[in-house]
């Protein structure tokens, strides 16, 4: 690619912007409220003491998620540029760290689109009568069956290294979901912001409809009580706080550089504190709403089949693609409820995928100041996003084989946890330092945005210790999770974990060596002049 002839000031004048603060809010809300709100949050509440878990969860929403949201959006809003170019301007030798979040987003977006493909497949099958996955449930006379998901949709092989064939129906769904995302964001935030009016709000309305229906079922109150019944002993268990912190960071989508990019599409005088509180809290509400929906139906199944709730599959894809479809398929008007549920999943996935694709494309545009030139040809905004979607589609071919589900778990284990925490650690220590935070505070106040004391205290003091503890726990957790893989697969996994930082460290060392060499040349030049004199 060729360097841009555009100046930064000129690029910022023509750079795309959100049409309003509400458009920004809906886009950010849609990006944050993803699949983790529907299946991970309810399970963690159940696992970690029910209502007791909500205590550390909401403490960390206020002391971790909201401050990091404020920091990232505030940086973009003040500087009018994304994280990568911001660091390049401020500290060139550290500019590689500006790409860390985007590399992680690229990893996540590949398997995130696979989950969207699963949702799209189920949505398509939900229009059939009778519901396809109901047959194995009736035959086995059980409340749920894993056969349809693992045998028909995923078609799992024996291991991650045993690849046999492409699942073409899944690959088509993968490409269709990318096409939907492309047409929603092809003009950047100008179109994605308008689409978010529907995609970001619809899941809440659909979840409310599902909740109303769930509350009408016999046994629903027992399920909800089981979800929130307190176990205060667990409040003193460190793992509960770690789970809460991990959920807060992943659910609120902080630390991925996308929010900084979204902030750069805002006007400098736009209100920041109100939105920094509102968006994380509404994202938490999505998780709470999903928890009520899930356990109202689970309580009904537990009562109907006399199966203890603890024996039902309550975590991960099993909850979304095994247990919940089974519950809905056994209700009156099963097609209607299945269609509504998988629409919720698809809309949640589309919104988050907006952020990933827009973040990758927007970062590329920022690097070249809007002039992305390949082989002498300047790419348009639409073409940049088409290229990103096309590359994701090509990568999707391997995900849509019979080892795809293994790869989803593998990349989720090695591509996010440790690298994510390392990225957040850099962000907190670099931008949360006293000098830089004071400068950000001054810039924000210049445009009428004050910094709440809770956010200032968290960013300059509290977050540093919290993220260090989380990083240590993440490393230990990743080591434990990697024991199921062979030695060579583990090596590849840890390479993926550290790959976002390899380029960053390389850039840092090159710049440091260049600075050292320039100092040496200057010293030699001064010494030569002294000798000549």
């Amino acid at each position: 690619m060729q360097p841009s002839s555009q100046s930064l000031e000129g690029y910022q004048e023509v750079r795309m912007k959100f049409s309003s603060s509400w458009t920004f809010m809906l886009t950010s809300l849609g990006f944050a409220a993803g699949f983790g709100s529907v299946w991970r949050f309810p399970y963690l509440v159940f696992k970690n003491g029910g209502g007791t878990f909500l205590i550390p969860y909401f403490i960390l929403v206020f002391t971790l998620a909201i401050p990091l949201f404020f920091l990232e959006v505030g940086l973009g809003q003040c500087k009018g540029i994304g994280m990568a170019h911001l660091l390049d301007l401020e500290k060139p030798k550290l500019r590689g760290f500006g790409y860390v979040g985007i590399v992680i987003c690229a990893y996540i977006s590949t398997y995130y689109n696979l989950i969207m493909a699963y949702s799209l497949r189920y949505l398509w099958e939900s229009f059939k009568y009778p519901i396809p996955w109901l047959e194995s449930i009736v035959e086995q006379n059980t409340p749920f069956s894993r056969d349809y998901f693992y045998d028909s949709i995923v078609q799992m092989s024996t291991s991650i290294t045993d690849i046999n064939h492409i699942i073409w129906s899944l690959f088509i769904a993968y490409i269709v979901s990318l096409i939907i995302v492309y047409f929603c964001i092809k003009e950047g935030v100008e179109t994605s912001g308008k689409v978010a009016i529907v995609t970001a709000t619809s899941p809440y309305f659909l979840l409310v409809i599902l909740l109303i229906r769930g509350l009408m079922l016999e046994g629903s109150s027992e399920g909800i009580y089981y979800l929130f019944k307190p176990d205060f002993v667990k409040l003193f268990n460190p793992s509960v706080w770690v789970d809460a912190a991990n959920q807060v960071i992943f659910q609120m989508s902080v630390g991925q550089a996308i929010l900084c990019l979204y902030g750069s599409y805002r006007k400098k005088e736009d209100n920041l504190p109100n939105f920094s509180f509102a968006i994380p809290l509404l994202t938490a509400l999505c998780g709470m709403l999903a928890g009520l929906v899930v356990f109202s139906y689970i309580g009904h199944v537990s009562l109907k089949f006399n199966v203890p709730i603890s024996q039902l599959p309550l975590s991960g894809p099993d909850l979304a693609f095994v247990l919940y479809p089974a519950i809905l398929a056994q209700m009156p008007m099963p097609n209607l409820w299945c269609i509504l549920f998988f629409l919720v999943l698809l809309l949640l996935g589309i919104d988050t995928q907006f952020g990933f694709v827009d973040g990758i494309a927007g970062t590329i545009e920022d690097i070249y100041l809007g002039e992305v030139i390949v082989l002498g040809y300047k790419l348009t905004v639409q073409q940049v996003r088409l290229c990103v979607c096309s590359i994701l589609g090509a990568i999707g071919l391997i995900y849509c084989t019979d080892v795809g589900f293994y790869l989803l778990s593998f990349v989720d284990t090695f591509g996010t946890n440790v690298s994510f925490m390392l990225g957040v650690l850099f962000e907190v220590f670099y931008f949360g330092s006293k000098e830089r935070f004071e400068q950000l505070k001054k810039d924000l106040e210049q445009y009428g945005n004050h910094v709440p004391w809770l956010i200032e205290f968290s960013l300059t003091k509290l977050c540093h210790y919290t993220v260090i503890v989380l990083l240590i726990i993440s490393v230990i957790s990743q080591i434990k999770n990697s024991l199921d893989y062979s030695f060579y697969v583990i090596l590849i996994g840890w390479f993926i974990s550290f790959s976002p930082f390899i380029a960053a460290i390389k850039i840092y060392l090159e710049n440091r060596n260049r600075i050292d060499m320039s100092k040496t040349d200057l010293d030699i030049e001064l010494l030569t002049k002294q000798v000549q004199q």
Side-chain angles (χ1 to χ4, degrees):
M1 292 186 183
Q2 301 176 14
S4 173
S5 59
Q6 175 88 285
S7 67
L8 176 60
E9 292 76 15
Y11 171 57
Q12 287 175 321
E13 285 182 9
V14 300
R15 199 166 177 268
M16 65 182 74
K17 298 287 183 184
F18 282 112
S19 57
S20 68
S21 289
W22 292 107
T23 309
F24 157 76
M25 180 175 179
L26 291 172
T27 305
S28 301
L29 186 61
F31 174 58
F35 293 126
S37 296
V38 173
W39 68 45
R40 196 165 185 263
F41 178 77
Y43 168 69
L44 288 178
V45 176
F46 159 74
K47 171 192 170 189
N48 291 298
T52 310
F53 175 79
L54 298 177
I55 297 172
Y57 176 78
F58 278 103
I59 288 174
L60 290 165
V61 165
F62 281 95
T63 59
L64 192 64
I66 290 173
L68 286 174
F69 187 98
F70 183 95
L71 174 66
E72 292 182 25
V73 177
L75 284 168
Q77 190 168 318
C78 287
K79 305 298 182 181
I81 206 78
M83 183 69 75
H85 202 81
L86 189 156
L87 278 172
D88 191 18
L89 293 173
E90 187 173 301
K91 203 88 168 178
K93 65 181 179 181
L94 295 178
R95 71 179 185 273
F97 289 93
Y99 304 107
V100 167
I102 296 301
V103 174
I104 297 170
C105 282
Y107 286 147
I108 299 173
S109 64
T110 55
Y111 75 74
Y112 216 88
N113 206 75
L114 178 64
I115 301 173
M116 284 179 61
Y118 293 157
S119 304
L120 198 59
R121 276 293 316 276
Y122 268 94
L123 180 61
W124 176 265
E125 300 295 330
S126 296
F127 285 93
K128 297 179 180 179
Y129 189 84
I131 299 289
W133 54 89
L134 186 59
E135 182 180 349
S136 57
I137 296 171
V138 173
E139 287 178 356
Q140 298 171 21
N141 192 28
T142 56
F144 65 90
S145 172
R146 291 183 170 90
D147 293 352
Y148 186 79
F149 179 59
Y150 288 103
D151 295 342
S152 299
I153 302 294
V154 175
Q155 299 179 29
M156 287 178 67
S157 64
T158 55
S159 71
I160 193 172
T161 55
D162 182 25
I163 182 170
N164 298 294
H165 63 275
I166 297 171
I167 307 167
W168 289 108
S169 59
L170 197 57
F171 182 64
I172 292 170
Y174 192 99
I175 297 301
V176 169
S177 62
L178 274 176
I179 291 172
I180 293 171
V181 169
Y182 169 71
F183 278 103
C184 290
I185 56 98
K186 65 176 183 176
E187 303 289 345
V189 294
E190 293 178 5
T191 54
S192 63
K194 295 174 183 176
V195 174
I197 295 172
V198 176
T199 57
T201 56
S202 297
Y204 291 85
F205 291 114
L206 295 176
L207 282 171
V208 168
I209 294 171
L210 287 169
L211 177 59
I212 293 171
R213 181 65 185 94
L215 292 175
M216 296 168 64
L217 297 172
E218 186 182 6
S220 61
S221 58
E222 284 78 4
I224 292 174
Y225 173 74
Y226 196 90
L227 172 65
F228 291 114
K229 69 177 180 180
D231 183 0
F232 290 106
V233 174
K234 290 191 175 182
L235 194 59
F236 301 97
N237 186 343
S239 67
V240 174
W241 290 80
V242 170
D243 277 350
N246 277 321
Q247 178 63 15
V248 163
I249 288 177
F250 283 95
Q251 191 179 357
M252 308 300 166
S253 298
V254 293
Q256 298 175 15
I258 306 295
L259 292 174
C260 183
L261 193 71
Y262 279 172
S264 70
Y265 296 142
R266 305 184 78 204
K267 297 175 183 177
K268 294 183 185 295
E269 62 273 12
D270 283 351
N271 183 284
L272 180 59
N274 290 352
F275 286 97
S276 296
F277 281 89
I279 294 172
L281 288 173
L282 285 171
T283 304
L285 173 65
C286 183
M288 295 287 291
L289 193 57
L292 291 170
V293 171
V294 168
F295 275 83
S296 64
Y297 286 85
I298 284 177
H300 171 66
V301 168
S302 175
L303 180 67
K304 181 179 178 181
F305 289 91
N306 196 26
V307 177
I309 291 177
S310 58
Q311 293 182 17
L312 295 173
L314 300 176
S315 63
D318 272 7
L319 177 60
F321 298 114
V322 174
L323 181 60
Y324 218 77
I327 295 172
L328 298 175
Q330 298 173 74
M331 292 176 57
M333 297 188 296
N335 297 82
L336 172 63
W337 305 116
C338 289
I339 289 168
L340 285 178
F341 177 70
F342 289 111
L343 266 178
V344 169
L345 284 186
L346 191 62
L347 290 169
L348 288 171
I350 285 173
D351 271 337
T352 305
Q353 196 72 341
F354 280 179
F356 291 143
V357 175
D358 237 352
I360 297 168
T363 300
I364 294 170
E365 289 163 350
D366 278 359
I367 295 168
Y368 296 98
L369 299 179
E371 294 186 349
V372 184
I373 302 173
V374 180
L375 301 175
Y377 179 77
K378 181 182 175 182
L379 299 183
T380 63
V381 169
Q382 296 94 325
Q383 289 167 336
V384 172
R385 280 152 183 77
L386 180 60
C387 288
V388 173
C389 287
S390 298
I391 293 170
L392 290 177
I395 296 171
L397 191 62
I398 186 66
Y399 275 101
C400 297
T401 62
D402 51 354
V403 300
F405 193 77
Y406 292 111
L407 288 174
L408 186 157
S409 177
F410 178 75
V411 177
D412 187 46
T413 298
F414 291 101
T416 57
N417 295 332
V418 171
S419 51
F420 205 1
M421 290 303 170
L422 283 170
V424 173
L425 186 73
F426 170 80
E427 186 177 293
V428 167
F429 273 85
Y430 183 79
F431 293 107
S433 64
K434 185 176 180 181
E435 180 184 344
R436 290 188 178 87
F437 187 79
E438 285 298 323
Q439 183 58 53
L440 173 63
K441 184 178 177 181
K442 189 183 298 182
D443 292 340
L444 288 169
E445 289 175 346
Q446 181 182 348
Y447 293 99
N449 281 304
H450 72 282
V451 181
W453 69 267
L454 177 63
I455 289 177
E456 183 171 357
F457 172 75
S458 297
L459 287 174
T460 55
K461 294 181 175 65
L462 192 60
C463 285
H464 297 67
Y465 304 105
T466 305
V467 176
I468 288 174
V469 172
L470 281 174
L471 176 60
I472 294 170
I473 299 297
S474 295
V475 171
I476 295 170
S477 175
Q478 185 160 304
I479 291 171
K480 289 180 178 178
N481 292 335
S482 65
L483 297 178
D484 295 333
Y485 298 102
S486 66
F487 176 73
Y488 293 106
V489 173
I490 291 172
L491 284 181
I492 295 171
W494 280 97
F495 173 78
I496 290 174
S497 295
F498 293 114
S499 59
F501 300 91
I502 294 173
I505 294 170
K506 183 174 181 291
I507 290 171
Y508 174 78
L509 293 174
E510 287 176 351
N511 275 273
R512 192 179 68 174
N513 292 336
R514 194 177 295 117
I515 291 171
D516 291 342
M517 289 177 64
S518 62
K519 285 181 178 179
T520 303
D521 292 341
L522 183 61
D523 291 341
I524 293 172
E525 185 179 342
L526 289 172
L527 183 62
T528 305
K529 286 182 180 179
Q530 290 175 0
V531 170
Q532 289 175 348
Q533 290 174 354

